[in-house]
């Protein structure tokens, strides 16, 4: 059905709905209305017949009394091992997060649904919720309290602490989708988790921070259930112990048993810059809620080091993928967004969460995006002549005379597609028009890659032919085939007689694609996350249809009996997709959540009220005193 015919049908159906609502709500014979105009919140959605795209969340009054602020020192139940653990290298700083009212931050959201759009999105929203419910029910029946469900085997899986990651990670998703009974059951399970009980010899503090601490904070900010804040403090204190190193740089691959035994801890010599710098949102929010500045102080001191070193890396403005956290040497030569989604995107979000009072985050954002736009982004040559952008990576080589030379690697990682949303948010927040244009081109670029695949799903990694210019890029088929030949024949014994056309056909390479190094799809969220952010900021309604097409493609390819599973190859169309026995918690807590919110009324979980951390958890922004 064409969009015009669909709109007329929508108008007709909406008119009928209005007439029915009017007839149903007419006063009774005694002149009094028989129903309340404003429904009260309900504890679950089993009988929800509302046409609203904002589901009625559980009533926090049915849980435990909310608390605006919880002073941890006043509650004896919080005296667990991590709070009482002595520090070998206590902080010498004492930084407090700003407490002034938010001022000077403009409104971010620019989209709102028309009645017709609302009509069409309701069924889409319901389909996403059905997909989530199927996965949740499978996890509940087959792997309850485990970190994740292995969907094809129907077995539990524990490799992120064994603390019921899927439950904690999806608390806010349950709340957002109005699943009150499930939320209450999940909270009752979470409060029994003991973060003193660590079975694994090593844990990833980055993952615990963004997914478990972030999940607890996001659920608390939505529900005001103080039990969740108590658990967040427990996790925060555990993670704080990972900062107990001589230079106060956190240990990412951390042995918590060493900390408990009071053994010396030293920061790693090879660590991901993204993981080191990704504590600031969660630790800031924890300090805001508890009044205890130690969390913010720890994360902010790390970000001060990132700020100090930003201009002296081999690619000034960006931080290398791998750094030496022990010596604070940031001399790496590879710069990418493919594995740095937790670093660059948090810069404008930290600015917002801190009420606009710390300009250092605006400065770091603007410096990094200036470098990214000038080096990492490229226009891919394509036969349709689409004016789109994709995020690549940069190798920096030092010449004999001491000068640097950059080389673009035009491999595009699915994870790097967060960048469209980052530019959309930053462009709106700081009123940078060029960033708005870049955001649209990046989102269109990543969705274009998805559309070019036989299954219409973006694979984990693709490699393209980059244009020499972002302004003009005519299609040149011989150059494309030449690049494919060069890619195949990079070894010591090239094959001059290679049949390039046959190779392209056998490897199912769309025009413009040089290679697809990783044809799989790991149920990732980055493409839909950027579509969500750009839609909320710009109001581009075509993005709703694009997102729905992607959702249907993903469901068709990944849905199995116990939920959804990773697929091995998105370039195979005529055969049944090969599934891999894995369903990360992030499929529900990020991918499906962003789909659901995209098809919800834009005023629901408003970007002017919340910032989403890198694991998709909404953290409440300080209340604004005024907006521009």
């Amino acid at each position: 059905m064409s969009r015009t015919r669909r709109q007329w049908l929508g108008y007709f159906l909406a008119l009928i709905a209005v007439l029915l609502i009017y007839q149903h709500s007419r006063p009774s014979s005694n002149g009094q209305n028989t129903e309340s105009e404003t429904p009260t919140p309900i504890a679950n959605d089993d009988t929800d017949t509302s046409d609203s795209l904002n589901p009625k969340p559980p009533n926090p009054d049915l849980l435990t009394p909310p608390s605006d602020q919880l002073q941890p020192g006043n509650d004896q139940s919080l005296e667990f091992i991590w709070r009482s653990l002595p520090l070998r290298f206590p902080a010498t700083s004492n930084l407090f997060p700003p407490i002034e009212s938010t001022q000077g931050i403009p409104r971010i959201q620019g989209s709102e649904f028309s009645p017709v759009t609302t009509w069409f999105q309701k069924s889409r929203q319901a389909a996403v919720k059905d997909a989530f419910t199927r996965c949740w029910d499978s996890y509940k029946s087959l792997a309850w309290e485990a970190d994740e469900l292995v969907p094809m085997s129907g077995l539990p899986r524990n490799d992120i602490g064994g603390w019921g990651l899927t439950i904690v990670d999806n608390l806010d998703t349950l709340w957002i989708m109005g699943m009150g009974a499930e939320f209450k059951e999940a909270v009752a399970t979470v409060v029994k988790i003991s973060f003193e009980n660590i079975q694994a010899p090593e844990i990833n503090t980055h993952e615990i921070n963004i997914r478990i601490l972030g999940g607890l904070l996001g659920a608390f900010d939505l529900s005001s259930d103080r039990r969740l804040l108590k658990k967040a403090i427990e996790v925060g204190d555990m993670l704080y112990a990972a900062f107990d190193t001589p230079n106060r740089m956190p240990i990412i691959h951390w042995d918590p048993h060493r900390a408990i035994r009071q053994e010396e801890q030293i920061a790693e010599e090879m660590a991901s810059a993204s993981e080191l710098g990704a504590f600031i949102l969660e630790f800031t929010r924890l300090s805001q809620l508890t009044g205890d500045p130690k969390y913010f102080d720890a994360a902010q001191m790390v970000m001060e080091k990132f700020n100090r070193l930003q201009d002296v890396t081999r690619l000034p403005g960006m931080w290398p993928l791998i750094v030496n956290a022990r010596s604070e040497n940031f001399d790496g030569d590879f710069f990418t967004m493919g594995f740095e989604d937790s670093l660059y995107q948090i810069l404008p979000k930290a600015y917002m969460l801190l009420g606009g009072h710390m300009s250092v985050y605006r400065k770091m954002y603007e410096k990094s995006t200036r470098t990214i736009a000038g080096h990492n982004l490229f226009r891919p040559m394509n036969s349709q002549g689409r004016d789109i952008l994709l995020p690549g990576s940069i190798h920096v080589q030092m010449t004999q005379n001491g000068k640097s030379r950059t080389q673009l690697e035009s491999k595009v990682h699915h994870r790097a597609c967060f960048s469209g949303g980052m530019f959309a948010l930053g462009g709106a927040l700081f009123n940078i028009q060029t960033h708005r244009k870049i955001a649209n081109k990046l989102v269109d670029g990543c969705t274009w890659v998805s559309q070019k695949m036989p299954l219409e799903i973006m694979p984990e990694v693709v490699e393209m032919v980059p244009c020499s210019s972002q302004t003009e890029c005519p299609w040149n088929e011989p150059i494309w085939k030449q690049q494919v030949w060069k890619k195949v024949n990079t070894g010591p014994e090239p094959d001059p007689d290679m049949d390039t056309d046959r190779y392209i056909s056998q490897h199912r390479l769309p025009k413009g694609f040089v290679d697809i190094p990783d044809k799989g799809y790991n149920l990732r969220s980055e493409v839909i996350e950027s579509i969500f952010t750009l839609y909320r900021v710009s109001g581009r309604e075509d993005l709703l249809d694009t997102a729905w097409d992607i959702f249907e493609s993903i469901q068709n390819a990944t849905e199995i009996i116990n939920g959804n599973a990773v697929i091995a190859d998105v370039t195979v169309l005529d055969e049944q997709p090969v599934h891999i026995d894995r369903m990360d918690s992030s499929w529900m807590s990020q991918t499906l959540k962003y789909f659901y919110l995209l098809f919800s009324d834009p005023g629901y979980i408003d970007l002017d009220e919340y910032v989403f951390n890198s694991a998709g958890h909404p953290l409440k922004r300080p209340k604004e005193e005024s907006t521009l």
Side-chain angles (χ1 to χ4, degrees), residues 26-81:
R26 289 179 62 187
S28 60
S29 59
N30 63 4
Q32 295 180 345
N33 198 336
T34 59
E35 294 190 8
S36 172
E37 294 181 0
T38 305
T40 56
I42 58 177
N44 60 62
D45 63 347
D46 294 341
T47 59
D48 183 16
T49 59
S50 170
D51 287 333
S52 172
L53 288 173
N54 294 346
K56 299 178 180 65
N59 187 345
D61 293 333
L62 300 177
L63 303 172
T64 56
S67 173
D68 293 332
Q69 188 178 74
L70 179 66
Q71 296 291 347
N74 297 333
D75 193 331
Q76 294 300 317
S77 66
L78 297 177
E79 296 298 328
F80 36 73
I81 187 172

Side-chain angles (χ1 to χ4, degrees), residues 99-263:
I99 58 174
E100 299 90 347
S101 298
T102 297
Q103 293 183 354
I105 295 182
R107 288 194 58 80
I108 300 301
Q109 291 210 162
S111 58
E112 59 183 32
F113 278 176
S114 65
V116 175
T117 302
T118 300
W119 182 276
F120 282 106
Q121 301 318 307
K122 186 172 178 63
S123 62
R124 294 175 173 179
Q125 185 192 64
V128 176
K129 183 174 179 178
D130 286 345
F132 174 88
T133 302
R134 284 185 66 255
C135 296
W136 181 259
D137 288 346
S138 294
Y139 168 77
K140 181 178 176 180
S141 62
L142 299 172
W144 187 248
E145 297 189 22
D147 282 337
E148 291 171 336
L149 167 66
V150 183
M152 298 171 69
S153 304
L155 298 173
R157 174 173 175 262
N158 287 296
D159 65 352
I160 311 181
W163 293 310
L165 170 67
T166 294
I167 304 175
V168 181
D169 212 9
N170 283 283
L171 287 169
D172 51 19
T173 313
L174 293 169
W175 180 278
I176 286 169
M177 293 190 181
M179 300 172 67
E182 292 84 355
F183 177 82
K184 291 167 66 176
E185 181 181 23
V187 171
T189 301
V190 167
V191 298
K192 296 184 293 184
I193 296 174
S194 172
F195 292 100
E196 300 175 25
N197 181 17
I198 304 173
Q199 301 297 326
E202 179 183 283
I203 62 175
N204 185 302
T205 55
H206 166 71
E207 293 293 329
I208 301 300
N209 175 61
I210 65 172
R211 300 172 76 175
I212 292 185
L213 179 56
L216 292 167
L217 292 170
F220 172 77
D221 274 339
L222 292 172
S223 69
S224 299
D225 189 329
R226 64 183 298 166
R227 294 175 295 174
L228 298 175
L229 182 54
K230 288 182 179 181
K231 300 309 290 186
I233 295 170
E234 187 176 340
V235 177
D237 284 339
M238 176 180 66
L239 293 174
Y240 186 78
F243 285 75
D244 189 20
T245 63
N247 61 351
R248 302 291 300 167
M249 291 288 272
I251 303 173
I252 303 302
H253 303 94
W254 182 50
D255 178 359
H257 306 283
R258 289 182 59 87
I260 294 173
R261 294 192 300 264
Q262 286 286 283
E263 297 176 5

Side-chain angles (χ1 to χ4, degrees), residues 109 172 176 281-282 345-346 349 352 425 529 532-533 536 589 593-594 597 604-607 610-621:
Q109 291 210 162
D172 51 19
I176 286 169
L281 293 182
E282 297 78 12
Q345 69 164 301
I346 67 171
K349 295 177 179 181
M352 296 166 69
L425 187 66
E529 175 187 353
F532 162 76
T533 305
R536 285 290 185 92
S589 65
K593 181 191 296 175
Y594 281 123
L597 287 173
Y604 191 50
I605 317 298
D606 196 319
L607 295 185
Y610 296 89
V611 296
F612 286 83
N613 80 342
S614 53
H617 297 300
L619 307 178
K620 195 167 183 62
R621 293 170 52 186

Side-chain angles (χ1 to χ4, degrees), residues 504-565:
I504 289 172
S505 176
Q506 288 178 337
H507 289 80
R508 300 178 293 277
L509 294 178
K511 289 187 176 182
F513 289 69
V514 174
D515 189 18
I516 309 179
D518 188 343
K519 296 181 173 67
Y521 170 62
N522 293 337
L523 304 176
R524 292 197 184 279
S525 65
E526 284 79 5
V527 171
I528 189 61
E529 175 187 353
S530 283
I531 292 176
F532 162 76
T533 305
L534 180 58
Y535 173 72
R536 285 290 185 92
V537 168
S538 69
R540 269 184 56 184
E541 288 208 356
D542 65 294
L543 294 173
L544 297 173
D545 291 337
T546 298
W548 177 246
D549 290 341
I550 294 174
F551 173 76
E552 287 193 307
S553 297
I554 293 174
Q555 275 294 97
N556 290 337
T558 67
E559 185 176 5
I560 59 173
I561 188 171
N562 291 326
N564 295 71

Side-chain angles (χ1 to χ4, degrees), residues 206-419:
H206 166 71
E207 293 293 329
I208 301 300
N209 175 61
I210 65 172
R211 300 172 76 175
I212 292 185
L213 179 56
L216 292 167
L217 292 170
F220 172 77
D221 274 339
L222 292 172
S223 69
S224 299
D225 189 329
R226 64 183 298 166
R227 294 175 295 174
L228 298 175
L229 182 54
K230 288 182 179 181
K231 300 309 290 186
I233 295 170
E234 187 176 340
V235 177
D237 284 339
M238 176 180 66
L239 293 174
Y240 186 78
F243 285 75
D244 189 20
T245 63
N247 61 351
R248 302 291 300 167
M249 291 288 272
I251 303 173
I252 303 302
H253 303 94
W254 182 50
D255 178 359
H257 306 283
R258 289 182 59 87
I260 294 173
R261 294 192 300 264
Q262 286 286 283
E263 297 176 5
E264 186 177 30
Q265 302 183 113
I266 304 175
E268 295 154 289
E269 292 186 296
M270 293 185 64
S272 162
S274 176
E275 293 177 336
L276 287 170
F279 290 85
I280 188 63
L281 293 182
E282 297 78 12
F283 274 35
T284 292
R285 187 62 187 141
L286 190 55
S287 283
Q288 290 174 339
L289 289 169
T290 63
D292 188 339
K294 72 176 186 180
Y295 311 105
F296 170 76
D297 176 80
Q300 180 60 26
M301 290 305 296
V302 173
M303 295 310 293
E304 290 290 347
K305 295 174 182 179
F306 273 74
N307 175 47
R308 175 172 54 84
L309 295 168
Q310 187 174 14
D311 291 333
V312 297
T313 66
R314 293 193 181 191
L315 189 62
M318 293 183 71
W319 299 278
L321 174 63
I322 301 298
V323 301
N324 187 328
R326 185 176 304 176
S327 65
E328 299 178 18
N329 185 335
F330 283 36
D331 196 37
D333 60 1
F334 186 63
F335 298 81
T336 182
M337 291 184 291
F339 303 97
E340 302 282 20
D341 51 320
S342 294
L343 178 55
Y344 296 105
Q345 69 164 301
I346 67 171
L347 299 176
K349 295 177 179 181
Y351 182 87
M352 296 166 69
L353 191 61
L354 288 161
H357 294 293
M358 296 195 67
S359 60
V360 64
Y361 287 101
R362 175 172 185 167
K363 182 181 71 172
M364 284 196 287
Y365 168 78
E366 291 181 345
K367 282 184 178 181
S368 64
T369 50
R370 190 179 304 121
T371 301
I372 289 168
H375 289 84
N376 294 67
L377 305 186
F378 69 94
R379 178 174 176 174
M381 186 173 69
N382 61 91
S383 57
Q384 295 85 19
R386 297 281 303 276
D387 184 9
I388 53 180
L389 291 174
L390 290 171
S393 303
I394 293 292
H395 290 273
V396 179
Q397 299 174 333
M398 303 304 295
T399 62
Q400 291 183 348
N401 59 6
K403 294 184 179 180
S404 62
R405 181 173 60 192
T406 61
Q407 179 180 356
L408 173 68
E409 182 181 274
S410 55
K411 288 181 181 179
V412 182
H413 294 259
H414 194 129
R415 289 178 60 172
C417 284
F418 81 88
S419 54

